Amino acid sequence: MSDKYEPSNVEDKYYKIWEERGYFEVDGNKAIQETDEKGKQKTFAIMMPPPNVTGSLHIGHALTFTLQDIITRFKRMDGYKTLWQPGTDHAGIATQNVVEKQLLAQGTTKEAIGREAFLDKVWKWKEYSGGTIVHQMRKLGISPAWSRERFTMDDGLKEAVKEAFVHLYNEGMIVQNNYMVNWCTHDGALSDIEVEHEEVNGKFYHMNYHFTDGSGYVTVATTRPETYFGDTAIMVHPNDERYKDIVGKEVILPLTDRKIKIITDEHVDMDFGTGVVKVTPAHDQNDYEVGKRHDLEFITCFDEKGILNEYCGEFAGLERLEARKPIVEKLQKEGYITKIEDHVHQVGHCYRCKNIVEPYISKQWFVRSEVAKSSIEKTYAGEAKFHPSHWLNSYRAWMDELRDWCISRQLWWGHRIPVFTCEECGHEWADKEDNPEACPKCASNKIKQDPDVLDTWFSSALWAFSPLGWGNNGKMQGSFQDSDLKDFYPNSLLITGFDIMFFWVARMMMMGDHFMGKLPFKDIYMHALVRDEHGAKMSKSKGNVIDPLDMVKEHSADIIRFTLAYLAVQGRDIKLGAKNLEQFRNFTNKLYNASNFLTLNVDTFPDLKDIEIKTPLGLYMQSRLSSAVDEIRDTLETYKFNEAASSLYRFVWNEFCDWGIEYSKASKESIIELGSIFKETLKMISPFMPFISDFLYHKLSGTSLENSDSVMIMNFPKDVKKDEKMEEMFSLIEEAIIAIRRAKVVIDMGNSKIPKAYVKLDKTIDNEIAKPFIQKLAKVENIEFVDNKQENCVTDVSDNLEVYIPTLEIDMTPIINKLTKQKEKTQKEVDKLNGMLSNEKFVANAPEHVVAENKAALEDAQAKLEKIENELSSLTQI
């Protein structure tokens, strides 16, 4: 074995073997699949949040896939028939935007090349991007059932989408209405959660509206002067005494001859601005409701692209945002704007293209909120559990205010809405057929399909069951089994980022419950963000984005995976930096060095199940392994990935390597047993670090992956034998070694071998077993167990024992002199700090953090002084 593990020589080769052997598929672990206590096959299902085909994976994807892979590999090794469903998402708006930008760079547009040619280009982009993403996933070492890979617009899933839409349409749960929606002038209609609200530095424009009778004017403050052409009323609060006399009067809309009336409505905040508000029902969500209450005219003053229309007079043809400046200048020139103030307020932006979103009245398709009612009740009743649990509060806050879901999008890329209208008789219906031959009402063949597509999240909302065959109507793609829905719905677990809770998680719960009668998963694990090492959010503009593939190339897939798992504390953002990766690079080196040590002494090692552990050290390490197994199983079952990784790290580094391997230098006969225990440990490491665990397991077994089974389809450790008596004995052995090492430091012989030491125990152990371990690790030629305190010795007292190192043959003068100097120096430091902190002027004027730092320094110095004095005292008494 070389001195260094070379992941680049292992990872691609091993992954190819695993995949070719079908290990990732539902029956890849057939030989170890088990039934539960009722005799039913144990099954586990988890659906991959399908990444968008818009480019490549980011570090957040790497976290999601790593955690999913850990739990999947664990369940696979624990005898479950396991499905991890892979796939990618067509991502309507995002993908269309990518391809549109490509066309613009080529000097053309989608309109210029036409719908069919544009969709052909998007499909080509999907093949390229989807291929890149799948390549990246493989480099991370993840193990989904690749033969079942699905795309949200493959033929079978198109069928499922139509099945769901038509069903909801016929139930009256999908309706079309003229309704105020969030409108992006580039991407069309958006649902509420696709709007990102950002604080912007805007202006308040104070405009005068003159009364038609010439009796004066009323002043209105607005942040959107370009929409005033759509005003159909002015309103004040009915209890506002300032404006009692003007209610019912008419004003003239500035720069026009249109008259509008002053009305009252309790929506007005009397204390904000002037207390007078313009009402623009077609361009403001609140005004929309006011307009409906007062039966006002709804005047749309710009079109779907944001271009001002004929209502805007001389400004018609200008884009809404570009029009603001000339409109304000003209209003100022004519004396209508009297004051402009700075004003910070929230403005909605499109979550994809960052364009300012408009409230806009448009005819759209909606899923009625009633569809979610049953899933909400079941979630509140505890049928699905969030991890961490506080996400239930976020879910509740959103769902309690749930509105109808706008599902139509003015795009070309996506699932075409399966609604048809007869041009002869006007009949409208939803149809699962792509091209119905005739109108079901009048038999005319003059049929027109709705031009819009469905919101991406409509198809994603079916993801918990549509890839399992539901609604695919015989057009399933990839491998599948007839029992998939029965075996794998509800899914066992969902792991995803908290940022798509409402886009995706809540909607999957809604659709899963509606169509399958059960919530789609029992457990929902919401992980946080991956940030840079300083806690900043990653962004291209900051230059702190981490590419998962670069990390794999530099460090290895195993190191990236273990680092992400170790840092994934539930509910807490991950700060990922070079120091973390270096820590776990050292961990892989530790694993490799442990294997090197073992094979220096013994060529090959049996599995733990094939050997009887007999030596005291073997029994002790096996018992410690038992505790680690129980701990790791418990933490994985409760999705505490960081605690599971931490337990593994501690057991391997602190217990097996720092103590077990060192002990074995005093017990050569135990090495073969330690090798078997280490092989069992590698099985626990396998879900986290699949490559190095397989490599080292076969090295220790004298086999190779090419001619043997992988660790990934072997049983995960379980029910390992405990030996509490042996654990208690080795605990005392360790305590004695540490005590002797401390005592040797006092006499400045920390690394030197000494001739003799005495150990006085409070408990009884087998001295003959303990003696060689203490002598070897504490570097003592002879250990003697005694019942009484020994004279003329340096003493160290710990919880269960005392140790004595005789000093008659040691010249203590240099040691005492050295400690005396340390005492004098430390005393000066204590006096200096005491003097500063006793100075009232200093304490009163110094910054708070400086005073706190000096207090902490004083405490440290006093503790150090006390330790030195104790050491001097013990030495001078000898």
Side-chain angles (χ1 to χ4, degrees):
M1 294 175 77
S2 68
D3 292 335
K4 193 177 175 188
Y5 171 62
E6 297 289 349
S8 57
N9 297 335
V10 171
E11 293 184 350
D12 288 345
K13 179 172 75 174
Y14 276 27
Y15 194 91
K16 189 167 183 285
I17 293 171
W18 295 338
E19 190 174 350
E20 285 175 350
R21 289 184 185 169
Y23 287 157
F24 305 162
E25 306 302 322
V26 295
D27 285 324
N29 64 337
K30 187 87 173 169
I32 61 168
Q33 285 180 8
E34 299 173 358
T35 56
D36 61 21
E37 60 277 2
K38 295 178 182 176
K40 186 184 175 188
Q41 173 97 63
K42 294 196 322 188
T43 59
F44 177 82
I46 187 168
M47 311 305 261
M48 176 185 293
N52 297 343
V53 287
T54 50
S56 57
L57 300 181
H58 53 66
I59 195 66
H61 289 119
L63 173 62
T64 302
F65 297 147
T66 293
L67 299 183
Q68 288 186 311
D69 196 45
I70 289 169
I71 197 70
T72 299
R73 286 175 177 273
F74 167 62
K75 292 292 184 180
R76 190 183 285 129
M77 292 177 74
D78 208 26
Y80 286 76
K81 182 178 182 178
T82 302
L83 170 64
W84 182 12
Q85 174 64 53
T88 49
D89 195 294
H90 67 282
I93 291 175
T95 307
Q96 178 156 321
N97 278 341
V98 168
V99 180
E100 279 196 72
K101 284 175 185 172
Q102 292 170 356
L103 291 176
L104 288 171
Q106 296 162 16
T108 187
T109 64
K110 73 178 192 299
E111 288 78 13
I113 66 172
R115 188 167 188 148
E116 291 307 313
F118 176 74
L119 290 178
D120 184 55
K121 284 189 177 293
V122 184
W123 275 106
K124 285 177 181 169
W125 169 256
K126 177 263 169 187
E127 292 303 316
Y128 169 76
S129 175
T132 300
I133 287 166
V134 168
H135 169 71
Q136 288 178 300
M137 290 182 189
R138 286 183 159 95
K139 293 297 272 185
L140 281 167
I142 68 169
S143 61
W146 285 120
S147 72
R148 293 165 172 259
E149 184 185 348
R150 306 298 299 270
F151 175 56
T152 51
M153 279 179 61
D154 71 28
D155 289 344
L157 296 188
K158 279 183 178 176
E159 292 296 312
V161 166
K162 288 186 288 185
E163 183 81 32
F165 186 98
V166 171
H167 187 94
L168 290 167
Y169 178 94
N170 291 337
E171 283 184 310
M173 290 297 166
I174 287 181
V175 292
Q176 190 179 40
N177 281 321
N178 274 314
Y179 193 72
M180 180 159 279
V181 296
N182 304 296
W183 187 267
C184 172
T185 56
H186 179 260
D187 294 322
L190 303 172
S191 66
D192 291 344
I193 52 176
E194 290 172 315
V195 179
E196 295 177 345
H197 291 275
E198 297 173 17
E199 206 169 71
V200 300
N201 296 316
K203 303 286 184 185
F204 242 149
Y205 301 89
H206 293 256
M207 292 175 59
N208 291 341
Y209 288 64
H210 291 268
F211 297 122
T212 55
D213 62 6
S215 60
Y217 58 83
V218 65
T219 303
V220 175
T222 180
T223 59
R224 299 289 311 275
E226 67 273 12
T227 65
Y228 89 89
F229 296 106
D231 291 358
T232 55
I234 298 290
M235 63 177 169
V236 296
H237 195 280
N239 299 334
D240 197 331
E241 294 294 333
R242 293 173 293 176
Y243 302 115
K244 285 282 188 188
D245 295 341
I246 65 169
V247 175
K249 293 182 77 169
E250 289 185 329
V251 296
I252 298 176
L253 205 63
L255 304 182
T256 74
D257 56 4
R258 191 152 63 81
K259 299 172 184 176
I260 59 176
K261 191 176 280 190
I262 297 175
I263 63 172
T264 63
D265 194 279
E266 291 185 351
H267 171 68
V268 179
D269 181 352
M270 290 188 285
D271 299 322
F272 186 72
T274 63
V276 184
V277 183
K278 70 190 195 71
V279 186
T280 319
H283 293 284
D284 183 274
Q285 184 65 54
N286 294 319
D287 292 359
Y288 175 75
E289 300 298 332
V290 172
K292 288 197 293 184
R293 283 198 294 274
H294 294 271
D295 198 24
L296 298 176
E297 186 179 1
F298 284 70
I299 295 176
T300 302
C301 60
F302 52 77
D303 67 13
E304 295 176 349
K305 298 296 181 187
I307 306 301
L308 272 56
N309 58 25
E310 66 277 7
Y311 284 101
C312 305
E314 65 187 271
F315 305 103
L318 295 177
E319 198 277 332
R320 68 198 160 126
L321 300 178
E322 294 169 1
R324 181 177 298 177
K325 186 180 178 186
I327 290 172
V328 168
E329 287 174 352
K330 182 67 178 283
L331 289 168
Q332 284 179 301
K333 184 180 175 184
E334 299 292 329
Y336 290 107
I337 288 184
T338 59
K339 184 168 64 170
I340 301 176
E341 297 176 310
D342 290 333
H343 177 59
V344 178
H345 61 128
Q346 295 279 331
V347 175
H349 292 74
C350 174
Y351 82 118
R352 284 298 179 193
C353 70
K354 308 309 175 188
N355 184 17
I356 289 179
V357 169
E358 297 287 347
Y360 193 75
I361 295 175
S362 176
K363 196 171 190 180
Q364 301 292 339
W365 292 98
F366 293 84
V367 174
R368 294 173 61 190
S369 59
E370 290 95 311
V371 175
K373 187 172 182 290
S374 173
S375 67
I376 293 169
E377 290 171 353
K378 288 180 179 178
T379 305
Y380 289 176
E383 291 186 28
K385 288 185 170 55
F386 286 95
H387 306 268
S389 58
H390 70 75
W391 284 112
L392 177 62
N393 298 330
S394 302
Y395 172 86
R396 187 186 294 272
W398 180 265
M399 302 310 279
D400 285 350
E401 301 294 325
L402 191 64
R403 290 168 37 177
D404 291 352
W405 170 19
C406 177
I407 56 168
S408 44
R409 297 290 182 269
Q410 290 63 54
L411 304 171
W412 288 356
W413 171 245
H415 291 274
R416 189 85 175 263
I417 290 177
V419 173
F420 300 85
T421 305
C422 175
E423 295 183 65
E424 291 282 346
C425 71
H427 178 60
E428 178 196 278
W429 76 102
D431 205 312
K432 297 175 197 174
E433 293 295 324
D434 287 332
N435 299 295
E437 293 180 2
C439 169
K441 189 172 183 182
C442 73
S444 168
N445 58 8
K446 291 183 178 178
I447 297 166
K448 182 173 67 176
Q449 185 174 0
D450 191 300
D452 289 348
V453 300
L454 285 164
D455 177 11
T456 299
W457 301 101
F458 187 92
S459 52
S460 300
L462 311 177
W463 188 248
F465 52 96
S466 61
L468 302 177
W470 182 91
N472 281 230
N473 297 326
K475 295 184 180 180
M476 279 282 284
Q477 288 173 259
S479 67
F480 64 94
Q481 295 173 5
D482 292 338
S483 62
D484 282 350
L485 268 174
K486 179 173 68 70
D487 288 344
F488 302 121
Y489 190 92
N491 309 161
S492 310
L493 170 68
L494 176 73
I495 296 179
T496 190
F498 72 88
D499 51 333
I500 54 173
M501 175 187 273
F502 307 114
F503 285 109
W504 190 46
V505 180
R507 288 168 176 167
M508 278 203 292
M509 295 167 83
M510 171 200 315
M511 293 296 215
D513 181 63
H514 190 79
F515 288 107
M516 302 297 293
K518 293 179 182 175
L519 292 178
F521 15 72
K522 298 161 189 170
D523 291 291
I524 305 157
Y525 178 98
M526 312 290 288
H527 68 68
L529 291 176
V530 183
R531 298 179 178 270
D532 72 12
E533 59 194 311
H534 307 295
K537 194 171 180 180
M538 292 186 191
S539 70
K540 289 179 183 175
S541 61
K542 290 179 185 171
N544 63 350
V545 171
I546 296 175
D547 184 315
L549 238 57
D550 290 345
M551 292 170 71
V552 168
K553 190 173 181 181
E554 183 179 352
H555 297 283
S556 84
D558 283 331
I559 291 172
I560 306 314
R561 290 164 61 101
F562 198 82
T563 303
L564 289 170
Y566 192 92
L567 298 175
V569 180
Q570 283 189 14
R572 192 185 303 168
D573 286 348
I574 287 174
K575 291 181 185 178
L576 181 62
K579 68 179 187 301
N580 308 118
L581 296 163
E582 190 61 36
Q583 177 185 358
F584 298 112
R585 179 195 293 278
N586 294 339
F587 182 58
T588 59
N589 292 340
K590 199 78 167 173
L591 291 169
Y592 199 79
N593 291 338
S595 298
N596 264 347
F597 171 81
L598 291 166
T599 52
L600 281 173
N601 293 276
V602 178
D603 290 335
T604 62
F605 300 85
D607 268 19
L608 189 57
K609 63 181 171 56
D610 299 325
I611 187 174
E612 184 184 352
I613 304 295
K614 296 178 180 177
T615 68
L617 177 56
L619 291 168
Y620 166 64
M621 286 311 304
Q622 179 178 247
S623 192
R624 295 309 302 144
L625 172 70
S626 176
S627 297
V629 167
D630 293 345
E631 202 172 309
I632 290 159
R633 277 184 163 275
D634 181 60
T635 48
L636 283 176
E637 293 286 6
T638 51
Y639 319 123
K640 296 182 179 110
F641 296 98
N642 65 302
E643 292 183 23
S646 179
S647 295
L648 264 176
Y649 186 88
R650 284 196 313 273
F651 175 72
V652 169
W653 195 294
N654 300 346
E655 299 201 53
F656 190 86
C657 294
D658 283 1
W659 286 103
I661 284 180
E662 290 305 307
Y663 282 141
S664 72
K665 294 170 184 176
S667 173
K668 294 289 186 185
E669 69 279 9
S670 68
I671 288 178
I672 193 163
E673 298 176 353
L674 291 189
S676 297
I677 290 163
F678 191 65
K679 283 176 65 179
E680 203 71 4
T681 304
L682 290 169
K683 292 177 187 176
M684 284 199 297
I685 293 169
S686 177
F688 298 83
M689 307 173 88
F691 295 106
I692 194 170
S693 56
D694 232 348
F695 178 82
L696 296 179
Y697 177 88
H698 286 294
K699 282 285 184 187
L700 293 169
S701 302
T703 56
S704 69
L705 181 63
E706 287 85 347
N707 60 30
S708 305
D709 282 343
S710 165
V711 172
M712 68 173 286
I713 58 159
M714 295 179 186
N715 286 113
F716 195 88
K718 186 179 185 179
D719 299 331
V720 178
K721 187 178 178 184
K722 281 197 79 65
D723 189 326
E724 291 179 1
K725 268 187 83 173
M726 206 57 75
E727 283 203 45
E728 186 179 341
M729 181 171 75
F730 272 88
S731 175
L732 291 169
I733 291 171
E734 182 180 323
E735 192 176 331
I737 292 165
I738 291 169
I740 293 170
R741 286 173 177 173
R742 278 199 303 261
K744 285 169 69 181
V745 169
V746 172
I747 56 173
D748 214 16
M749 299 189 71
N751 291 318
S752 304
K753 194 165 190 178
I754 59 173
K756 186 151 190 162
Y758 301 95
V759 178
K760 175 177 173 286
L761 289 163
D762 293 346
K763 297 182 179 180
T764 304
I765 60 170
D766 188 323
N767 295 348
E768 290 309 307
I769 290 175
K771 189 173 182 178
F773 292 112
I774 300 171
Q775 289 178 170
K776 184 75 176 177
L777 272 70
K779 292 186 177 178
V780 180
E781 287 179 12
N782 184 34
I783 289 289
E784 187 175 328
F785 292 93
V786 294
D787 296 325
N788 303 307
K789 179 176 171 60
Q790 302 295 298
E791 299 300 323
N792 301 315
C793 290
V794 172
T795 305
D796 187 279
V797 180
S798 60
D799 291 343
N800 299 294
L801 51 84
E802 295 174 20
V803 299
Y804 312 102
I805 298 177
T807 57
L808 287 177
E809 298 176 13
I810 302 170
D811 182 3
M812 305 302 291
T813 306
I815 300 164
I816 291 169
N817 290 342
K818 181 181 174 184
L819 285 171
T820 303
K821 285 178 184 177
Q822 286 179 355
K823 178 186 173 183
E824 290 168 358
K825 184 181 175 184
T826 308
Q827 184 66 59
K828 284 179 184 177
E829 182 68 14
V830 168
D831 294 343
K832 176 188 165 189
L833 290 165
N834 258 327
M836 288 172 65
L837 293 167
S838 301
N839 185 331
E840 293 179 6
K841 194 172 179 183
F842 168 76
V843 174
N845 296 326
E848 195 175 314
H849 74 276
V850 171
V851 175
E853 285 168 8
N854 278 283
K855 284 181 178 176
L858 176 61
E859 286 178 15
D860 290 344
Q862 286 171 331
K864 184 178 177 183
L865 183 62
E866 185 182 355
K867 185 180 177 186
I868 294 168
E869 286 174 339
N870 288 338
E871 288 178 4
L872 270 171
S873 175
S874 66
L875 291 177
T876 53
Q877 288 173 15
I878 294 171

